[in-house]
Amino acid sequence: MHFAPRNNWMNDPNGLVFHDGLYHLYFQYNPQGVEHANLSWGHATSADLLRWTEHDPAILWDDTAQIYSGSVVVDHGNTSGFGTDQDPALVALYTAAAPGRQAQALAYSTDGGYVWTKYDGNPVLDRGTSDFRDPKVFRYDDGGDGYWVMVAVEAEDRQVLFHRSDDLTTWTFLSSYGPAGPVGGVWECPDMFPLAVDGDDDDVRWVLLISLNPGGIAGGSGTHYVVGDFDGTAFRASVPHPAPPRELLRDGSQSRDELERYGWIDFGPDCYAGVTFDGLARDERTLIAWMDNWEYAGRIPGGDSDEHRSAMTLPRRLSLTRDEVGAERLRQHPAVDLDPGESIDLAGVTGSVVLAEGVAGAARVGFTATFGDAQSVELHIESASDDGRVVIRQDRTSGRIELVRSGERMPLGFHRSPSMRLDRPREVGWDLWIDDLNERVSSIELFAQNGERVLTALVPVASPRTYTVAAIGGTLHGARADVAERGC
Ligand code: FRU
C-alpha cells in the first residue's frame, strides 16, 4: 500500500507528476547502498496510487554533483524546446549539490519520464550559495500566456525564494518569503499551490508548504503550511507570522505553545518533505511525504533480513476549509481506497472491547463516538508476535489525541509521544491506516476531525496485530468501529 523501494536508501519524494494516465514518483535514492550518499533520483510509477512499479534510477549523481530534491513538469507548449508541441518533454528541475555549493539544474526526458538527459547549460539558477535547494516548479496562469514559477529555499536563511521563467532555463528573481513562523531548523522542500475554500471556485487561496528540520511540532523534522495569496510575484500570508528574532535562527528552539499557533500538515514525527503532484486538477491536489524523521532516519530496526527499508506516506488528497473562527485549514484524506470493514456496534461500551485479533498486514480502522461521561478513549494496537505496543488516546480534559509508542531497540527520539489538539474533543472521528514497514516496525497514519488533524508515526508493533478499544472512566455514546484488512 505504501511505496517503498526494493532496497537501499530513500528519502524525499521528488518530481511527482501525473502524465498520460500514470503517476510518476521519483525519490531521493542511493543506488549503491543504505547510507544517505550518491544521491540520485529513483523512479516508480502507478496507475492507481496503490500499486507501484519500480524502474531503473532516473537521474544519476556524477563527479560534479549529487542530485538533490526537485520537481518535474510536463512542458506543454514546448517552451524549453526539449520536446515538440505534439510530444512535450518532461522537464526536471533539481538541486545539483556539491560541497559548499548548491544550484538549480535541469534534465529532460522525451520518452515519458524513464530516460533523462542532463542539460548541457547547467546550472540554470546559481546564486553562488551553499544551501539554495529543492526547486518546485509550476505553471502560473496570469490570464495571458502564463509563465513558470519556481519556489526554492535558502535553507539556512529560512527563506522561500520565488523566481520566474518563460523557457525553464532562464530564471529571474521575483520575491522572497520569510523568515517567519517556525524557524527552529533549516527550511527545505517548499511547495505552493491554489485550493478552493470549501470547494468554492470563487474563493481560491494559495497554500505554501515548508518542511523544516529540526523544529517540527513533534520534534525533529516537520512540515508547516501557511495559507495566503499569490499575485504572480509574491506570496502574502492571510495571517502574517511575526519575523523571529535573529538569534532564534542560530539556537533554534520555539516553545510548543508557539508552534501550536502555526499550521502543520502532520502532528506526528514521521511525515517529512511532502510535496504535491503536478498535472492534476485543482480539486485533486495530492501529496506524498517521506515517512521518516532525520532525527533517526536509517536507525529504525530492520526486518528479519535486516535490509534497510523506508517508505512514503499514503498519497493524500488536499482540500481547504474555513473553520468556525474563520481560519483556513488544510484537510487531508487518503487518495486510495480500502472499503471499510463490517461496522461493529459498541453502544454503551464501558471497559474494553477487542475489535479484531491477529490481523496480518495492512488495515484500516474506523472509530466514531461521542463522549458520555468517559474521561478518555483508547485504541490499543498490540503485536501477537512480540512485546511492542502502541496506545492512541483521546482525552476529554486535555482535548488532545496522543500516541504513545514504546518498545525496545528503538532509537533516541522515538520515545516522545506526539499529540494534536482537537477543536471538538468530545467527538471521536478516527480514520486510521496501518501498514508493515518491515517485520518489526509498522506505520500509522491517523486522520482525525475530518482530516483536519493528521498524525503519522512509525511504531514498534509487528504484524499480526490485535486491535482493542477501551472507554476509560465512564461511557461513550453511539460508538461504532470497523476494521478493514488488506492483508498484504
Ligand atoms: C530534505 C533534504 C533536501 C535535500 C535532500 C537531500 O530531506 O535535506 O533539502 O534536497 O533532502 O537528500
Side-chain angles (χ1 to χ4, degrees):
M1 195 155 65
H2 291 78
F3 173 72
R6 275 185 298 270
N7 54 18
N8 295 339
W9 173 273
M10 173 179 82
N11 57 292
D12 316 351
N14 296 149
L16 301 181
V17 64
F18 180 71
H19 178 56
D20 267 355
L22 273 186
Y23 295 90
H24 291 263
L25 160 63
Y26 302 89
F27 49 90
Q28 288 288 281
Y29 186 60
N30 177 358
Q32 295 184 349
V34 296
E35 315 80 37
H36 183 247
N38 312 325
L39 270 302
S40 302
W41 280 22
H43 183 205
T45 53
S46 171
D48 59 5
L49 291 170
L50 196 60
R51 285 166 289 249
W52 293 94
T53 306
E54 192 179 341
H55 305 285
D56 288 342
I59 311 178
L60 288 174
W61 95 105
D62 61 30
D63 294 347
T64 62
Q66 299 190 74
I67 315 298
Y68 271 18
S69 288
S71 54
V72 167
V73 288
V74 182
D75 185 13
H76 296 291
N78 197 25
T79 64
S80 64
F82 296 126
T84 62
D85 278 342
Q86 295 71 35
D87 229 344
L90 268 62
V91 176
L93 276 306
Y94 61 88
T95 301
R101 190 69 164 251
Q102 294 183 351
Q104 312 328 317
L106 184 153
Y108 58 91
S109 166
T110 53
D111 73 343
Y114 300 90
V115 175
W116 290 82
T117 306
K118 289 174 191 156
Y119 174 49
D120 55 18
N122 278 336
V124 294
L125 180 55
D126 186 356
R127 305 180 76 236
T129 54
S130 57
D131 294 281
F132 176 40
R133 59 178 179 266
D134 305 341
K136 179 74 164 62
V137 174
F138 61 90
R139 185 84 190 159
Y140 180 71
D141 176 6
D142 62 350
D145 290 343
Y147 48 90
W148 301 105
V149 172
M150 177 198 289
V151 288
V153 288
E154 272 294 352
E156 295 284 344
D157 297 345
R158 280 69 157 176
Q159 281 200 320
V160 177
L161 303 187
F162 299 83
H163 288 80
R164 67 168 278 175
S165 173
D166 290 320
D167 59 7
L168 293 162
T169 52
T170 310
W171 293 90
T172 52
F173 179 76
L174 288 174
S175 65
S176 66
Y177 172 84
V183 292
V186 292
W187 282 12
E188 299 185 316
C189 299
D191 194 358
M192 193 176 73
F193 43 84
L195 288 177
V197 179
D198 294 313
D200 179 355
D201 288 326
D202 294 327
D203 189 3
V204 172
R205 313 291 286 159
W206 286 76
V207 179
L208 178 62
L209 298 185
I210 300 164
S211 284
L212 81 155
N213 177 58
I217 185 98
S221 319
T223 303
H224 161 59
Y225 74 88
V226 211
V227 182
D229 270 328
F230 181 66
D231 60 6
T233 302
F235 173 84
R236 277 182 199 80
S238 306
V239 184
H241 297 321
R246 282 305 303 172
E247 57 274 15
L248 239 178
L249 271 50
R250 284 195 306 274
D251 73 19
S253 69
Q254 285 167 299
S255 69
R256 173 83 195 196
D257 276 354
E258 178 177 359
L259 293 180
E260 295 258 356
R261 292 200 288 272
Y262 305 132
W264 298 92
I265 65 162
D266 202 289
F267 289 83
D270 297 304
C271 176
Y272 193 59
V275 284
T276 63
F277 280 88
D278 198 70
L280 293 174
R282 191 166 61 206
D283 61 355
E284 293 177 339
R285 183 61 62 173
T286 305
L287 172 127
I288 292 182
W290 178 42
M291 204 155 44
D292 214 328
N293 191 311
W294 278 115
E295 207 172 328
Y296 42 69
R299 291 187 291 121
I300 301 292
D304 292 344
S305 61
D306 234 23
E307 195 163 280
H308 171 79
R309 202 168 148 83
S310 64
M312 296 297 181
T313 64
L314 286 176
R316 301 167 179 189
R317 194 68 31 100
L318 306 182
S319 56
L320 261 190
T321 186
R322 193 164 282 128
D323 70 11
E324 288 124 32
V325 295
E328 291 125 358
R329 285 191 173 281
L330 205 58
R331 255 196 187 142
Q332 301 169 68
H333 292 289
V336 292
D337 224 2
L338 185 58
D339 287 340
E342 204 176 315
S343 178
I344 308 162
D345 188 354
L346 301 167
V349 65
T350 48
S352 63
V353 179
V354 175
L355 295 179
E357 227 172 328
V359 179
R364 175 184 186 178
V365 182
F367 185 34
T368 53
T370 5
F371 275 75
D373 55 3
Q375 177 55 42
S376 57
V377 292
E378 294 181 349
L379 174 70
H380 294 233
I381 307 174
E382 281 160 282
S383 171
S385 59
D386 69 16
D387 58 0
R389 77 163 20 204
V390 58
V391 179
I392 300 167
R393 177 181 307 116
Q394 181 166 332
D395 183 79
R396 193 175 62 185
T397 311
S398 69
R400 288 178 168 278
I401 296 178
E402 180 188 31
L403 179 144
V404 182
R405 50 183 185 176
S406 53
E408 289 166 25
R409 308 181 302 259
M410 290 299 149
L412 212 68
F414 212 78
H415 297 280
R416 280 193 297 260
S417 300
S419 75
M420 52 188 179
R421 191 163 49 203
L422 299 168
D423 295 331
R424 295 176 294 282
R426 284 174 160 273
E427 287 168 29
V428 185
W430 299 2
D431 183 20
L432 181 144
W433 295 62
I434 187 161
D435 199 1
D436 300 334
L437 181 72
N438 59 40
E439 290 93 340
R440 295 210 177 81
V441 178
S442 309
S443 63
I444 284 181
E445 286 162 282
L446 172 61
F447 300 82
Q449 200 177 297
N450 203 9
E452 286 166 39
R453 301 284 193 285
V454 187
L455 193 156
T456 303
L458 299 176
V459 294
V461 179
S463 179
R465 292 173 279 259
T466 292
Y467 300 90
T468 308
V469 288
I472 312 290
T475 52
L476 299 173
H477 296 309
R480 303 197 78 82
D482 58 77
V483 179
E485 304 174 23
R486 187 143 192 278
C488 62

